[in-house]
Each structure stands twice: as structure tokens, then as C-alpha cells.
Amino acid sequence: MTSTPPRAGATGTSATDLIIVGGGPAGCAAARMAASVGLCSVLVEPDAVCGTLHRVAVLNNVPGGHTSGPALADSLTTELRATASCRVELGRRVTHLRADDDQVTVVLDSGARLAAPHAVVATGVGPQQPRDVAWLTVPAEPRLPPLWTVDAADTEGRTLLVLGGDRPIGTFLRAHPRVATRLLVAYPASDDYKVEEISDDPRVTLLPVRHLTLSPTTGGAPVAQGVDRDGRRHTVTADAAFLSIGNTPTAPPGDLVRDASGYCPPDAQHPRVSIAGDLRSARYQRIAIAIGSGGEAALRAYYAARDLSA
């Protein structure tokens, strides 16, 4: 993707007013808002713009009439391409971010350096693996696929063991309301609030556990030994097993303040750095909220550049 190079910065101090790290919904919203208030930006994205949205089959909480992730991704990508004051650096990863009193500098994996008075970091989250959580023990091989990769047609009449209660389960069920699939959802106490949206679906059996161990298989049906919240042991069998254990923050190395879980609380950051989207917290990972936070982060840079209170 190419666009017109940024003009002299609106602040008068830099050719780029704002660096945006991450090209998901929050990063795209930040670029659009920055352009609307006269800021020139550079957006850095290692993969594809809004690539994760293509895995979301159904949307039900996004204004604007978009009912699927791919449709929203196409819309945001088209808008970004039309934003002449944003230069997009695709296929580049930020390897370090430094926040100083007068500017923010990022180093790309190419060795190039970008500097601007302000930065928005919206790198989001990536899928956790069993080794990342204490409640789950899974053999190293074979590697379990995440639930969002399953072909719904292949699940007809089958029983799936889903490890974790993260929200892709609800997306799967809404996208395929007529698929006769039984989901055995084993989840820890930390996922209690997540499974509320799927608890009434008759295809779901909730298995609250303290710990679960998946036995090694050689192509046969997976077998798991679970310990429930009362300490009782149960054996669970299914036709296949998938992961839905949640996400882990993907913040770049450098001058970002992280909490114990690796998320970056917005209020704890350097004044020249704003955090947007899913990177802020595990509790508020919604596309509509990410878009709003991206626009808000760009406005913060605009107000700060003019020494105005928001």
C-alpha cells in the first residue's frame, strides 16, 4: 500500500506529527482522526491492515451496518488508502520504542528510525498458547488449532472440546446458528464472565475447571482429565479439541509501562505515548471500543501539539 508522503508537519516541528504502531481497527481510526484535524502520520503494520478482522465471521456490536469482519476490514482499508496524510509502512515491525521529552522514536526491523512528537500504540493482542496459562496442561504435539480456524461444515454432528472460554466461541455460534455441533467448554474461573454470552446456547456444555490435562493422542479422539472447582476429577472425551484460551498483549519493546499481565494501562504511559485498542486491557476488547479509542488517542496528540487541554 502506498500513499502520498506526509507534508511538513502541522505542528511545524516535524515532517510527521504522529507515529501509529498497529494497523487494526484502532490504528486505522487513529490515522483517519489525525488526518481530519490536520496531522500527518505514519502507520506501521507488520502484516495486513485489519488482518485479524478477516477471522471474525459475524459482527453484532459495530455501528455503520457492517455485519462481518471482512466487510469492516475492507471498509477501513479503503478509508485508510484514501487518507493522503498517512503514509503506511506495511511488512515492518517495530523492534523498539523510545519516548523522550521532545519526541517519540521507533526503530523498525529494517533498521530505519521514525520520529514524531507523539505516538499511538495499537498493536493489540495475539493468541495465547497452553504454556501461557497455569490451569491447562497440553502435550507439545500435536499443536492444537484455535477455534476460529475450524470449518463449521466439518463439525456437523461432532463433539468439540474447547479449551478456554474466550469470545471466539460466541462468534462461532452466532455465525453458524444451525450447525448441530456440541461444544464442551472447559474454562477457569477467570473466564466466568466471558462464558455468560454462550451459557444459554443448547449446543454448549460448560465445564468450569480448576485444572485440565489433555492426554497425548496419536490421531484418535482427545481425552482430558479435569479437576473441577470442588476438587473432583472428571474424564472428558470429544471428537476433536480446539483452543480458545484468550489473548496476550503484543506491545513492542521499549518505553511502555506494562501491568502484571503485560497490558499497557493508558494512564501510566509517557505523555507523548497513547495506547489504543485491545492493548489497553483484557476486559474491554470490543471492535467498537477499539475504533473509538483510536480516534480519541489521535485527538490527544492533536490537543497536546497545540498545548490545549482536552
Side-chain angles (χ1 to χ4, degrees):
M1 179 185 299
T2 60
S3 59
T4 304
R7 59 175 172 76
T11 62
T13 61
S14 173
T16 301
D17 302 305
L18 183 65
I19 298 170
I20 303 168
V21 186
C28 289
R32 291 289 290 168
M33 179 61 73
S36 73
V37 294
L39 298 181
C40 290
S41 62
V42 176
L43 185 148
V44 183
E45 165 57 44
D47 298 311
V49 173
C50 291
T52 302
L53 278 179
H54 287 277
R55 305 198 302 255
V56 182
V58 176
L59 297 178
N60 64 355
N61 62 357
V62 177
H66 298 292
T67 58
S68 76
L72 178 59
D74 290 343
S75 175
L76 292 174
T77 301
T78 298
E79 291 179 355
L80 184 61
R81 285 174 174 160
T83 305
S85 61
C86 177
R87 187 177 85 240
V88 180
E89 293 279 353
L90 279 186
R92 295 299 181 193
R93 187 178 303 275
V94 171
T95 60
H96 190 80
L97 181 147
R98 177 173 175 175
D100 295 309
D101 290 341
D102 59 342
Q103 67 178 16
V104 178
T105 304
V106 301
V107 180
L108 306 185
D109 52 6
S110 64
R113 293 175 178 267
L114 304 175
H118 299 276
V120 173
V121 181
T123 50
V125 295
Q128 283 185 318
Q129 299 300 317
R131 63 178 178 272
D132 299 322
V133 296
W135 67 273
L136 187 59
T137 300
V138 173
E141 297 294 341
R143 188 178 180 89
L144 293 178
L147 181 65
W148 56 262
T149 64
V150 68
D151 186 336
D154 293 337
T155 70
E156 184 70 36
R158 304 180 76 203
T159 297
L160 307 185
L161 173 60
V162 183
L163 306 180
D166 205 42
R167 295 189 180 91
I169 302 173
T171 301
F172 173 84
L173 293 169
R174 289 190 298 271
H176 311 291
R178 295 180 179 85
V179 173
T181 302
R182 185 185 181 203
L183 301 184
L184 307 178
V185 180
Y187 64 98
S190 58
D191 283 356
D192 283 350
Y193 74 98
K194 296 181 181 179
V195 300
E196 291 178 358
E197 65 179 81
I198 63 173
S199 60
D200 293 333
D201 194 301
R203 295 170 291 176
V204 172
T205 299
L206 296 178
L207 305 174
V209 299
R210 183 185 300 171
H211 190 272
L212 185 139
T213 301
L214 189 68
S215 301
T217 62
T218 57
V223 178
Q225 302 296 326
V227 179
D228 68 18
R229 308 283 176 83
D230 295 322
R232 295 171 297 195
R233 296 182 178 274
H234 301 275
T235 299
V236 182
T237 60
D239 297 309
F242 293 88
L243 294 178
S244 189
I245 58 178
N247 298 303
T248 188
T250 57
D255 294 340
L256 295 174
V257 179
R258 297 162 172 80
D259 64 17
S261 299
Y263 287 91
C264 298
D267 293 343
Q269 306 306 315
H270 189 282
R272 293 190 177 274
V273 177
S274 295
I275 306 297
D278 292 352
L279 188 59
R280 299 175 303 160
S281 168
R283 289 260 173 172
Y284 303 104
Q285 293 181 0
R286 295 290 190 272
I287 293 171
I289 296 174
I291 292 173
S293 71
E296 180 183 0
L299 275 181
R300 285 187 60 192
Y302 169 77
Y303 291 131
R306 286 151 181 78
D307 197 22
L308 300 173
S309 62

